[in-house]
Amino acid sequence: MKFFRHGPAGSEKPGVLDGQGAMRDLSGHIADIDAARLARGPDLGLGLLDLQSLPEVAAGARIGPCVGGISKFVCIGLNYYDHAAETGQEVPPEPVVFLKATSAICGPDDNVEKPRGSTKLDWEVELGLVIGKRAKYVSEAEAMDHLFGYCVINDVSERQFQNERYGTWDKGKGCDTFGPIGPWLVTRDEVADPCQLHMWLEVNGKRFQNGSTATMVYKPAFLISYVSQFMTLLPGDVISTGTPPGVGLGQKPPVFLEVGDRIELGIEGLGTQRQLVVAAA
């Protein structure tokens, strides 16, 4: 199934795609797509439901982040062999883990704000893992039982803040709007192999990223197990698994986002995002 959330920011309602791809409203049956609902299983506890009997979502409605009330937004750095190569860095012997502020989360088509003082605003198309069941010290063999599904993430990054302002990466990763998530939350049964998905990203119509999850270093099951050794993963938590090559920093010379630029990105079977870069208020 493909779930989503729609409506004004902070007041999103749950939705689902029917068999023909029409957007249907679920708010008459559940309050939200959040931790409590995800814990009820891949059908969100809805059971048998005639999706085509549900009201259609109005055309042009805003699509929000596909999960509400996320407690942790965990990211993995340098997790693609070819992306590590373009940055001139070695593949890390263990996953690089950092946290992105949950206040960075926004809808897949919301504007991306260029922060005050930003000079190196960058993009990263990433596969997101959404946890469905509490995971603490889980093995790699049992890790996928704790996964609810997948989504598209743009791990927007400010490289000068990230790499030149000292300390951890967090300063360049957690600004407002730096975490577009969605449009769809796709249940894991709909993705035959998460390590064979085409992924891409364009800026102003030019394709910069054209990769595949096949070049991922640490795979989803390993990442869920690994992260669960250091923090308890709760339903609704998101792990962003890294990006293939083609980021702005890796261009020769580097290319960074400016106000007015348009970003479009997607992952095979998981949907497409579109964002306009605007100046932060």
Short mmCIF file of all heavy atoms in Angstrom, two decimals, residues 187-225:
data_model
loop_
_atom_site.label_atom_id
_atom_site.label_comp_id
_atom_site.label_asym_id
_atom_site.label_seq_id
_atom_site.Cartn_x
_atom_site.Cartn_y
_atom_site.Cartn_z
N THR A 187 4.61 0.57 1.78
CA THR A 187 4.82 -0.58 2.66
C THR A 187 5.87 -1.52 2.07
O THR A 187 6.01 -1.63 0.85
CB THR A 187 3.51 -1.34 2.91
OG1 THR A 187 2.90 -1.64 1.65
CG2 THR A 187 2.55 -0.51 3.74
N ARG A 188 6.60 -2.17 2.95
CA ARG A 188 7.77 -2.93 2.50
C ARG A 188 7.43 -4.07 1.55
O ARG A 188 8.27 -4.48 0.74
CB ARG A 188 8.58 -3.43 3.69
CG ARG A 188 7.97 -4.54 4.51
CD ARG A 188 9.00 -5.07 5.53
NE ARG A 188 8.54 -6.28 6.18
CZ ARG A 188 7.99 -6.32 7.38
NH1 ARG A 188 7.80 -5.20 8.05
NH2 ARG A 188 7.60 -7.46 7.90
N ASP A 189 6.21 -4.58 1.61
CA ASP A 189 5.83 -5.68 0.72
C ASP A 189 5.76 -5.25 -0.74
O ASP A 189 5.79 -6.09 -1.64
CB ASP A 189 4.48 -6.26 1.14
CG ASP A 189 3.35 -5.23 1.08
OD1 ASP A 189 3.39 -4.30 1.89
OD2 ASP A 189 2.45 -5.37 0.23
N GLU A 190 5.67 -3.93 -1.00
CA GLU A 190 5.58 -3.44 -2.37
C GLU A 190 6.94 -3.24 -3.02
O GLU A 190 7.02 -2.95 -4.22
CB GLU A 190 4.80 -2.13 -2.42
CG GLU A 190 3.31 -2.29 -2.19
CD GLU A 190 2.49 -1.20 -2.86
OE1 GLU A 190 3.06 -0.41 -3.65
OE2 GLU A 190 1.28 -1.15 -2.61
N VAL A 191 8.01 -3.38 -2.26
CA VAL A 191 9.36 -3.18 -2.79
C VAL A 191 10.09 -4.51 -2.74
O VAL A 191 10.51 -4.97 -1.68
CB VAL A 191 10.12 -2.11 -1.97
CG1 VAL A 191 11.54 -1.92 -2.51
CG2 VAL A 191 9.37 -0.79 -2.00
N ALA A 192 10.24 -5.13 -3.91
CA ALA A 192 10.82 -6.47 -3.97
C ALA A 192 12.27 -6.47 -3.48
O ALA A 192 12.68 -7.37 -2.74
CB ALA A 192 10.74 -7.01 -5.40
N ASP A 193 13.04 -5.46 -3.89
CA ASP A 193 14.45 -5.40 -3.50
C ASP A 193 14.85 -3.93 -3.34
O ASP A 193 15.06 -3.23 -4.33
CB ASP A 193 15.34 -6.07 -4.55
CG ASP A 193 16.80 -6.15 -4.12
OD1 ASP A 193 17.15 -5.55 -3.08
OD2 ASP A 193 17.59 -6.81 -4.83
N PRO A 194 14.96 -3.44 -2.11
CA PRO A 194 15.31 -2.04 -1.90
C PRO A 194 16.72 -1.70 -2.34
O PRO A 194 17.09 -0.52 -2.39
CB PRO A 194 15.15 -1.86 -0.38
CG PRO A 194 15.37 -3.22 0.18
CD PRO A 194 14.79 -4.16 -0.84
N CYS A 195 17.51 -2.72 -2.68
CA CYS A 195 18.88 -2.49 -3.13
C CYS A 195 19.02 -2.53 -4.65
O CYS A 195 20.11 -2.68 -5.18
CB CYS A 195 19.82 -3.52 -2.48
SG CYS A 195 19.86 -3.42 -0.69
N GLN A 196 17.89 -2.39 -5.35
CA GLN A 196 17.90 -2.35 -6.82
C GLN A 196 16.93 -1.28 -7.33
O GLN A 196 16.18 -1.52 -8.27
CB GLN A 196 17.53 -3.73 -7.39
CG GLN A 196 18.53 -4.83 -7.12
CD GLN A 196 19.87 -4.61 -7.82
OE1 GLN A 196 19.94 -4.00 -8.89
NE2 GLN A 196 20.94 -5.10 -7.22
N LEU A 197 16.97 -0.11 -6.73
CA LEU A 197 16.04 0.96 -7.10
C LEU A 197 16.78 2.10 -7.79
O LEU A 197 17.78 2.61 -7.28
CB LEU A 197 15.33 1.51 -5.85
CG LEU A 197 14.49 0.51 -5.05
CD1 LEU A 197 13.92 1.18 -3.81
CD2 LEU A 197 13.38 -0.08 -5.90
N HIS A 198 16.27 2.51 -8.94
CA HIS A 198 16.83 3.67 -9.63
C HIS A 198 16.44 4.94 -8.88
O HIS A 198 15.32 5.08 -8.40
CB HIS A 198 16.29 3.73 -11.07
CG HIS A 198 16.76 4.93 -11.83
ND1 HIS A 198 15.90 5.82 -12.44
CD2 HIS A 198 18.01 5.41 -12.07
CE1 HIS A 198 16.59 6.78 -13.03
NE2 HIS A 198 17.86 6.56 -12.82
N MET A 199 17.37 5.87 -8.76
CA MET A 199 17.12 7.13 -8.08
C MET A 199 17.78 8.26 -8.86
O MET A 199 18.83 8.08 -9.47
CB MET A 199 17.60 7.08 -6.62
CG MET A 199 19.03 6.65 -6.45
SD MET A 199 19.44 5.93 -4.82
CE MET A 199 18.80 7.11 -3.67
N TRP A 200 17.15 9.44 -8.84
CA TRP A 200 17.62 10.53 -9.68
C TRP A 200 17.27 11.88 -9.06
O TRP A 200 16.38 11.96 -8.22
CB TRP A 200 17.00 10.43 -11.09
CG TRP A 200 15.49 10.41 -11.05
CD1 TRP A 200 14.70 9.30 -10.90
CD2 TRP A 200 14.61 11.53 -11.11
NE1 TRP A 200 13.38 9.68 -10.87
CE2 TRP A 200 13.28 11.02 -11.01
CE3 TRP A 200 14.80 12.90 -11.26
CZ2 TRP A 200 12.17 11.85 -11.04
CZ3 TRP A 200 13.69 13.73 -11.29
CH2 TRP A 200 12.39 13.20 -11.18
N LEU A 201 17.96 12.91 -9.52
CA LEU A 201 17.66 14.27 -9.07
C LEU A 201 18.09 15.25 -10.17
O LEU A 201 19.16 15.12 -10.77
CB LEU A 201 18.38 14.60 -7.76
CG LEU A 201 18.08 15.98 -7.16
CD1 LEU A 201 18.06 15.93 -5.63
CD2 LEU A 201 19.10 17.03 -7.63
N GLU A 202 17.22 16.25 -10.43
CA GLU A 202 17.48 17.29 -11.42
C GLU A 202 17.37 18.66 -10.76
O GLU A 202 16.56 18.86 -9.85
CB GLU A 202 16.49 17.20 -12.57
CG GLU A 202 16.60 15.91 -13.36
CD GLU A 202 15.57 15.81 -14.47
OE1 GLU A 202 14.65 16.68 -14.52
OE2 GLU A 202 15.64 14.86 -15.28
N VAL A 203 18.16 19.60 -11.25
CA VAL A 203 18.06 21.01 -10.85
C VAL A 203 17.83 21.82 -12.12
O VAL A 203 18.63 21.74 -13.06
CB VAL A 203 19.32 21.49 -10.11
CG1 VAL A 203 19.19 22.97 -9.75
CG2 VAL A 203 19.57 20.65 -8.86
N ASN A 204 16.73 22.56 -12.14
CA ASN A 204 16.36 23.36 -13.31
C ASN A 204 16.37 22.53 -14.59
O ASN A 204 16.81 22.99 -15.66
CB ASN A 204 17.30 24.56 -13.44
CG ASN A 204 17.23 25.49 -12.25
OD1 ASN A 204 16.18 25.63 -11.62
ND2 ASN A 204 18.34 26.11 -11.90
N GLY A 205 15.91 21.28 -14.48
CA GLY A 205 15.79 20.41 -15.64
C GLY A 205 17.05 19.66 -16.03
O GLY A 205 17.02 18.82 -16.93
N LYS A 206 18.17 19.92 -15.37
CA LYS A 206 19.42 19.22 -15.66
C LYS A 206 19.62 18.10 -14.66
O LYS A 206 19.55 18.32 -13.45
CB LYS A 206 20.61 20.18 -15.60
CG LYS A 206 21.95 19.49 -15.87
CD LYS A 206 23.12 20.45 -15.82
CE LYS A 206 24.44 19.72 -16.04
NZ LYS A 206 25.60 20.64 -16.03
N ARG A 207 19.84 16.89 -15.17
CA ARG A 207 20.02 15.75 -14.28
C ARG A 207 21.44 15.72 -13.73
O ARG A 207 22.41 15.64 -14.47
CB ARG A 207 19.69 14.44 -15.01
CG ARG A 207 19.77 13.22 -14.11
CD ARG A 207 18.90 12.08 -14.59
NE ARG A 207 17.49 12.44 -14.58
CZ ARG A 207 16.49 11.55 -14.69
NH1 ARG A 207 16.77 10.26 -14.83
NH2 ARG A 207 15.24 11.94 -14.68
N PHE A 208 21.53 15.77 -12.41
CA PHE A 208 22.82 15.69 -11.72
C PHE A 208 23.04 14.32 -11.08
O PHE A 208 24.15 13.79 -11.09
CB PHE A 208 22.92 16.78 -10.65
CG PHE A 208 23.18 18.15 -11.20
CD1 PHE A 208 22.13 19.02 -11.50
CD2 PHE A 208 24.47 18.59 -11.42
CE1 PHE A 208 22.37 20.29 -12.01
CE2 PHE A 208 24.73 19.87 -11.92
CZ PHE A 208 23.67 20.72 -12.22
N GLN A 209 21.99 13.77 -10.48
CA GLN A 209 22.11 12.45 -9.85
C GLN A 209 21.32 11.44 -10.67
O GLN A 209 20.16 11.66 -11.00
CB GLN A 209 21.59 12.49 -8.40
CG GLN A 209 22.48 13.32 -7.49
CD GLN A 209 22.13 13.16 -6.02
OE1 GLN A 209 21.25 13.84 -5.51
NE2 GLN A 209 22.81 12.24 -5.33
N ASN A 210 21.96 10.35 -11.00
CA ASN A 210 21.33 9.30 -11.80
C ASN A 210 21.94 7.98 -11.34
O ASN A 210 22.82 7.41 -12.00
CB ASN A 210 21.57 9.54 -13.29
CG ASN A 210 20.70 8.66 -14.16
OD1 ASN A 210 19.61 8.27 -13.77
ND2 ASN A 210 21.18 8.33 -15.35
N GLY A 211 21.50 7.51 -10.18
CA GLY A 211 22.16 6.38 -9.55
C GLY A 211 21.21 5.26 -9.18
O GLY A 211 20.08 5.17 -9.67
N SER A 212 21.68 4.41 -8.30
CA SER A 212 20.91 3.24 -7.88
C SER A 212 21.29 2.88 -6.46
O SER A 212 22.45 3.03 -6.04
CB SER A 212 21.20 2.06 -8.81
OG SER A 212 20.66 0.87 -8.29
N THR A 213 20.31 2.36 -5.73
CA THR A 213 20.59 1.85 -4.39
C THR A 213 21.52 0.63 -4.45
O THR A 213 21.99 0.18 -3.40
CB THR A 213 19.29 1.47 -3.67
OG1 THR A 213 18.55 0.54 -4.47
CG2 THR A 213 18.44 2.70 -3.39
N ALA A 214 21.80 0.12 -5.64
CA ALA A 214 22.71 -1.03 -5.78
C ALA A 214 24.12 -0.70 -5.32
O ALA A 214 24.88 -1.60 -4.95
CB ALA A 214 22.74 -1.51 -7.23
N THR A 215 24.50 0.60 -5.33
CA THR A 215 25.86 0.96 -4.91
C THR A 215 25.92 1.37 -3.44
O THR A 215 26.93 1.91 -2.99
CB THR A 215 26.43 2.09 -5.80
OG1 THR A 215 25.65 3.28 -5.62
CG2 THR A 215 26.43 1.68 -7.26
N MET A 216 24.84 1.09 -2.70
CA MET A 216 24.83 1.34 -1.26
C MET A 216 25.84 0.42 -0.56
O MET A 216 25.91 -0.76 -0.85
CB MET A 216 23.41 1.09 -0.74
CG MET A 216 23.13 1.58 0.65
SD MET A 216 21.43 1.15 1.19
CE MET A 216 20.45 2.15 0.06
N VAL A 217 26.61 0.98 0.35
CA VAL A 217 27.61 0.20 1.08
C VAL A 217 26.94 -0.66 2.15
O VAL A 217 27.04 -1.89 2.15
CB VAL A 217 28.66 1.13 1.74
CG1 VAL A 217 29.69 0.31 2.52
CG2 VAL A 217 29.34 2.00 0.69
N TYR A 218 26.26 -0.02 3.07
CA TYR A 218 25.58 -0.72 4.16
C TYR A 218 24.09 -0.76 3.84
O TYR A 218 23.45 0.27 3.64
CB TYR A 218 25.84 -0.01 5.49
CG TYR A 218 27.32 0.02 5.84
CD1 TYR A 218 28.06 1.20 5.72
CD2 TYR A 218 27.98 -1.13 6.25
CE1 TYR A 218 29.41 1.24 6.02
CE2 TYR A 218 29.34 -1.11 6.54
CZ TYR A 218 30.05 0.08 6.42
OH TYR A 218 31.39 0.09 6.72
N LYS A 219 23.53 -1.95 3.76
CA LYS A 219 22.17 -2.17 3.27
C LYS A 219 21.14 -1.92 4.38
O LYS A 219 21.48 -1.83 5.56
CB LYS A 219 22.03 -3.59 2.73
CG LYS A 219 23.15 -4.02 1.78
CD LYS A 219 23.26 -3.14 0.55
CE LYS A 219 24.30 -3.67 -0.44
NZ LYS A 219 24.52 -2.77 -1.58
N PRO A 220 19.85 -1.80 4.00
CA PRO A 220 18.82 -1.45 4.99
C PRO A 220 18.79 -2.32 6.23
O PRO A 220 18.73 -1.80 7.36
CB PRO A 220 17.53 -1.56 4.18
CG PRO A 220 17.94 -1.15 2.81
CD PRO A 220 19.30 -1.76 2.62
N ALA A 221 18.84 -3.64 6.08
CA ALA A 221 18.77 -4.52 7.26
C ALA A 221 19.94 -4.26 8.19
O ALA A 221 19.78 -4.19 9.42
CB ALA A 221 18.73 -5.98 6.83
N PHE A 222 21.14 -4.11 7.62
CA PHE A 222 22.31 -3.85 8.45
C PHE A 222 22.17 -2.51 9.16
O PHE A 222 22.49 -2.39 10.35
CB PHE A 222 23.58 -3.85 7.60
CG PHE A 222 24.83 -3.60 8.40
CD1 PHE A 222 25.49 -4.66 9.00
CD2 PHE A 222 25.32 -2.31 8.58
CE1 PHE A 222 26.64 -4.43 9.77
CE2 PHE A 222 26.46 -2.08 9.33
CZ PHE A 222 27.12 -3.14 9.93
N LEU A 223 21.67 -1.49 8.45
CA LEU A 223 21.56 -0.16 9.06
C LEU A 223 20.58 -0.14 10.22
O LEU A 223 20.85 0.48 11.26
CB LEU A 223 21.14 0.86 8.00
CG LEU A 223 22.19 1.19 6.94
CD1 LEU A 223 21.60 2.09 5.87
CD2 LEU A 223 23.42 1.83 7.56
N ILE A 224 19.44 -0.79 10.05
CA ILE A 224 18.46 -0.84 11.15
C ILE A 224 19.08 -1.52 12.37
O ILE A 224 18.99 -1.03 13.50
CB ILE A 224 17.18 -1.56 10.71
CG1 ILE A 224 16.44 -0.73 9.65
CG2 ILE A 224 16.25 -1.81 11.92
CD1 ILE A 224 15.31 -1.47 8.98
N SER A 225 19.74 -2.65 12.13
CA SER A 225 20.39 -3.36 13.23
C SER A 225 21.48 -2.50 13.87
O SER A 225 21.55 -2.37 15.10
CB SER A 225 21.00 -4.67 12.71
OG SER A 225 21.78 -5.29 13.70
#
